[in-house]
Amino acid sequence: MLGCRGSRISHHFRECDLHFHLPTTFRFGYSGLQPQSFQLSFPCPLKPCWGGLTTIVANHNRVQSRSCCSATPPKPRGEIPLLFNSLSQQEDEREMISDGVSSVAGGIVALGKFDALHIGHRELAIQASRAGPPFLLSFVGMAKVLGWEPRPPIVATCDRKRVLSSWVSYCCNMVPEEFHVEFSSVRHLSPQQFVEKLSKELRVRGVVAGENYRFGYKAAGDALELIKLCEEYGMEAYIIKSVMDKNSANVTSSSNPKERGQVSSTRVREALAVGDMAYVSELLGRQHRLILKATDQERFAVEQHKVSAPKSCLLNLAPKEGLYEKCSLLLGQENVVQCRVVIDKKFVHVETDYDGGLSDIFGAPNSQFLPIEFGDSRT
């Protein structure tokens, strides 16, 4: 009988001070690559590995798709994810780039750009977890190397571990870990050199990528070449179909010519730009969390029922200017206060009927973070 691989709780997860038991005795079986047909397949895992599973069967010049495992997890109603202890000075300043290979060796790496951590990214992590310890492998320093204008992230750096931890029930009771590679170190690698790096230097056991994934210098390699090269280097390769946006009409146009209607970080940014938070929630699979951080130079202004913060305190991308109802102000592990948010040119204002003393919470000298979750409203 097939089950999930033994639970592998990352060091990130342990730091979050959670107190529940995860099973540690499951094992996982999988089908390997066939030498001639390049057939890729996933097993149908036992619960709690939910989610519709679609794989690509690549047979030289034709690509087919098939699916199995149609069960989906129950969707919590109105549930606010736990606040993890990642909003700290230590977490905010911790180096993100992995400096060794031991943490990713033997793992299954999902390949992509994981800015938004949206439902398409989650699907990659799900498939990786069904084959082994899941990692999200992405490149850092691309904007600097390629001369792109800097822009705020969709998910605050200090909040990414919380989001990944929320995927645990989808990912065979494992929390996907992030592994970062300096873009400058791989920019000029050919597709073969890139796969060789994964195999020999990073020692990963397999990769998961979307059907439109491109890699190598000038994006010369595609999904079929990834399959071929992984076989040559003795690695597993899993290519999955894109998660399509069921409400693509909500975005009038896309600045990304590679968009074919799939869920993407570009669509999340465009939805935030028009203030459609219901659409943002659909793309992310969760409510958008905005985090502001006070500094010695920029503090929060606190009144009895209102907190205001300058936009210079933003750690991630805010929606367009306007009024947002049905939001939540997160005051602690279990204290969630309903509020409305007003965003203008210079400030983010949070208004609430909370009588517990906002000044005691956000007016204190050691109060650094202002976390807000947006409901499914439209400005």
Side-chain angles (χ1 to χ4, degrees), residues 37-39 56-65 224 227:
S37 65
F38 301 119
Q39 179 169 331
I56 296 295
V57 181
N59 189 355
H60 296 291
N61 294 324
R62 63 189 179 89
V63 176
Q64 300 176 345
S65 65
L224 291 180
I227 294 169

Side-chain angles (χ1 to χ4, degrees), residues 57-251:
V57 181
N59 189 355
H60 296 291
N61 294 324
R62 63 189 179 89
V63 176
Q64 300 176 345
S65 65
R66 63 185 182 183
S67 62
C68 66
C69 306
S70 58
T72 56
K75 295 182 178 180
R77 297 181 180 179
E79 180 179 327
I80 300 295
L82 286 172
L83 270 176
F84 295 108
N85 296 330
S86 59
L87 299 183
S88 65
Q89 185 74 17
Q90 180 181 5
E91 291 288 347
D92 188 56
E93 294 179 350
R94 181 170 296 164
E95 182 65 47
M96 291 287 293
I97 302 171
S98 302
D99 58 2
V101 298
S102 60
S103 64
V104 76
I108 307 297
V109 297
L111 303 172
K113 300 175 183 177
F114 299 101
D115 179 18
L117 295 178
H118 53 60
I119 57 175
H121 296 149
R122 186 179 68 190
E123 189 66 22
L124 290 172
I126 290 171
Q127 313 312 340
S129 71
R130 288 171 173 170
F135 291 85
L136 306 184
L137 189 149
S138 56
F139 307 117
V140 293
M142 288 186 67
K144 182 178 180 180
V145 172
L146 299 177
W148 295 346
E149 287 292 328
R151 59 183 183 178
I154 294 173
V155 182
T157 300
C158 62
D159 196 37
R160 293 180 67 86
K161 293 175 187 176
R162 178 194 64 86
V163 175
L164 293 176
S165 295
S166 73
W167 294 357
V168 65
S169 62
Y170 296 90
C171 295
C172 299
N173 281 338
M174 291 182 283
V175 178
E177 294 187 46
E178 295 198 276
F179 188 87
H180 295 81
V181 175
E182 282 287 350
F183 178 67
S184 58
S185 70
V186 299
R187 179 186 184 186
H188 296 292
L189 296 184
S190 67
Q192 181 173 353
Q193 289 172 327
F194 176 68
V195 173
E196 182 178 19
K197 180 182 179 73
L198 294 177
S199 174
K200 295 186 177 182
E201 182 179 332
L202 302 182
R203 301 198 301 274
V204 304
R205 199 177 80 224
V207 301
V208 178
E211 59 186 328
N212 299 319
Y213 183 71
R214 310 287 305 192
F215 67 104
Y217 185 56
K218 295 186 177 179
D222 60 11
L224 291 180
E225 185 167 6
L226 182 63
I227 294 169
K228 176 178 177 293
L229 290 171
C230 283
E231 185 191 26
E232 291 178 3
Y233 283 90
M235 294 192 300
E236 306 158 24
Y238 302 94
I239 305 300
I240 69 170
K241 296 189 70 175
S242 300
V243 176
M244 303 307 291
D245 179 7
K246 298 179 181 179
N247 299 292
S248 57
N250 288 356
V251 177

Side-chain angles (χ1 to χ4, degrees), residues 333-346:
Q333 286 284 89
E334 299 179 355
N335 200 352
V336 179
V337 176
Q338 298 304 304
C339 65
R340 66 175 189 169
V341 177
V342 178
I343 302 177
D344 59 32
K345 291 183 178 181
K346 295 183 178 181

Side-chain angles (χ1 to χ4, degrees), residues 283-310:
L283 295 171
L284 294 179
R286 64 183 185 278
Q287 293 183 335
H288 181 58
R289 182 173 292 193
L290 187 66
I291 298 180
L292 298 99
K293 179 184 176 182
T295 66
D296 292 337
Q297 293 75 32
E298 300 281 3
R299 306 298 302 176
F300 303 143
V302 185
E303 301 175 17
Q304 183 177 2
H305 297 289
K306 182 178 179 180
V307 181
S308 299

